[in-house]
Amino acid sequence: MGKSKNVIITNRGELDYSRKTLIMGILNLTPDSFSDGGEYNDLKGAVARAVEMEKAGADIIDIGAESSRPYSERICEEVEKKRLLPILDEILKVTKIPISIDTYKSSVARAALKRGASMINDISGLRFDKKMAATAAEFNAPVIIMHIQGKPENMQDDPSYKNLIFEIKEYLWQGIELAIEAGISEEQIVIDPGIGFGKKQIHNLQILNRLESFKELNYPILIGTSRKSLIKFINEDETDNRLFGTAATVSASILKGANIVRVHDVKEIKKVALMSDALKWEGKHEK
């Protein structure tokens, strides 16, 4: 089982990752995200940032209106919609690339997809809300199925694994089955091993080091290391000074098999991806 073509089909065109790593730009509309909380939660600033990321080379923009950082508090769907939808409406008017919605709530996903959003990035791997898979299928929307152990409010309370890679792959495979059973096309499934989501530092490093093993599932792999604490553990940088550490993990991920990288610093990481793709494909990549 798995994809027959190296494309993701969206309502804003195909995303071809056959010879190019796709760049997903992060746009947080939250007051409390770990890195850029409060920077883009007003309409003007968020829209300007979306336009800036598209011009810088983003292939996808991922918009989140609820923080999923460790120990963050959950918000109700109405608050999430209030933060998200007015800004989404304006971003859709001024961008052409696919817009992903970072949510695990089917009602939020439905409202966003009705307005023209392209895909759903679900940190729970379609688990927290049993209606999510069917909602995505109804709108013919791609889904990013991520692994998480626990929930954001407790996921870093001493996470443990007997067999890290096997357990993550099993969780992802079960999410893939949920998606396919709901009617989501195989060309619209992306997997994400969930760096930092119920993982200790050693777990994050092992995932990146063994990323090729996830290629056995035969779906495009998304990796999100941007500005995360695994970088601080190594070089002690605070969140606004983790570009070089992010660049190192992005390049390593691409060479190990990642197809999409989710990042804050689109302009800089785009150059990292181009160089990494040239190494990966020996110059036969696409810009």
Side-chain angles (χ1 to χ4, degrees):
M1 192 175 288
K3 293 165 65 65
S4 58
K5 298 192 299 180
N6 292 327
V7 297
I8 301 162
I9 302 167
T10 84
N11 63 347
R12 287 189 156 191
E14 293 185 351
L15 292 165
D16 186 345
Y17 58 90
S18 60
R19 293 280 175 171
K20 168 188 170 182
T21 299
L22 301 175
I23 307 293
M24 172 182 273
I26 299 169
L27 182 59
N28 288 319
L29 310 181
T30 57
D32 58 343
S33 288
F34 80 94
S35 174
D36 55 356
E39 286 189 37
Y40 304 113
N41 58 347
D42 67 283
L43 180 61
K44 185 176 180 180
V47 173
R49 180 60 178 156
V51 171
E52 180 184 19
M53 287 195 291
E54 183 172 23
K55 288 181 178 178
D59 300 287
I60 311 162
I61 295 172
D62 190 43
I63 305 177
E66 178 180 23
S67 176
S68 56
R69 63 177 173 78
Y71 306 110
S72 55
E73 295 182 4
R74 302 304 87 210
I75 62 172
C76 70
E77 60 190 49
E78 294 309 317
V79 171
E80 190 173 349
K81 289 178 188 176
K82 187 176 180 180
R83 288 180 184 173
L84 171 68
L85 298 178
I87 292 175
L88 172 64
D89 287 340
E90 295 306 310
I91 287 174
L92 287 168
K93 293 176 184 177
V94 297
T95 59
K96 295 181 180 179
I97 59 177
I99 305 300
S100 168
I101 304 301
D102 182 356
T103 187
Y104 55 83
K105 301 184 182 79
S106 64
S107 63
V108 175
R110 174 178 294 278
L113 293 169
K114 283 178 71 173
R115 281 168 160 78
S118 302
M119 55 199 299
I120 299 301
N121 183 8
D122 186 346
I123 64 165
S124 80
L126 307 177
R127 306 307 210 280
F128 292 174
D129 187 331
K130 301 302 182 184
K131 296 179 181 179
M132 181 61 91
T135 300
E138 179 184 340
F139 287 89
N140 206 29
V143 294
I144 299 165
I145 297 170
M146 196 194 82
H147 172 272
I148 186 172
Q149 187 181 95
K151 295 184 177 182
E153 55 265 41
N154 60 25
M155 64 187 180
Q156 293 308 113
D157 290 345
D158 195 28
S160 63
Y161 299 85
K162 292 182 179 179
N163 187 325
L164 174 72
I165 303 300
F166 175 81
E167 290 175 45
I168 295 174
K169 286 168 68 174
E170 185 176 46
Y171 185 97
L172 293 174
W173 185 249
Q174 290 170 356
I176 290 165
E177 291 181 327
L178 288 172
I180 292 172
E181 287 170 6
I184 296 171
S185 166
E186 291 197 87
E187 277 72 34
Q188 293 171 300
I189 296 173
V190 178
I191 58 172
D192 176 358
I195 295 293
F197 285 83
K199 292 22 174 236
K200 294 179 181 178
Q201 169 69 352
I202 187 62
H203 300 143
N204 293 321
L205 295 175
Q206 287 173 346
I207 290 167
L208 295 178
N209 237 344
R210 302 175 191 176
L211 199 59
E212 302 109 314
S213 65
F214 292 95
K215 294 175 73 68
E216 295 173 5
L217 297 177
N218 204 23
Y219 290 91
I221 300 168
L222 182 149
I223 283 291
T225 58
S226 187
R227 302 182 185 176
K228 287 188 175 176
S229 60
L230 81 138
I231 297 164
K232 181 179 180 180
F233 281 123
I234 301 300
N235 58 23
E236 300 181 354
D237 288 333
E238 295 305 321
T239 54
D240 59 351
N241 193 30
R242 296 179 185 171
L243 176 59
F244 294 128
T246 297
T249 57
V250 164
S251 185
S253 297
I254 291 171
L255 295 174
K256 291 278 190 176
N259 305 106
I260 308 171
V261 290
R262 182 178 181 272
V263 298
H264 297 85
D265 303 291
V266 171
K267 181 179 179 180
E268 294 84 355
I269 298 301
K270 178 74 173 179
K271 294 181 180 180
V272 174
L274 285 171
M275 193 68 238
S276 302
D277 284 345
L279 290 167
K280 183 176 183 178
W281 300 109
E282 297 181 354
K284 300 174 184 177
H285 70 296
E286 295 180 4
K287 290 187 178 181

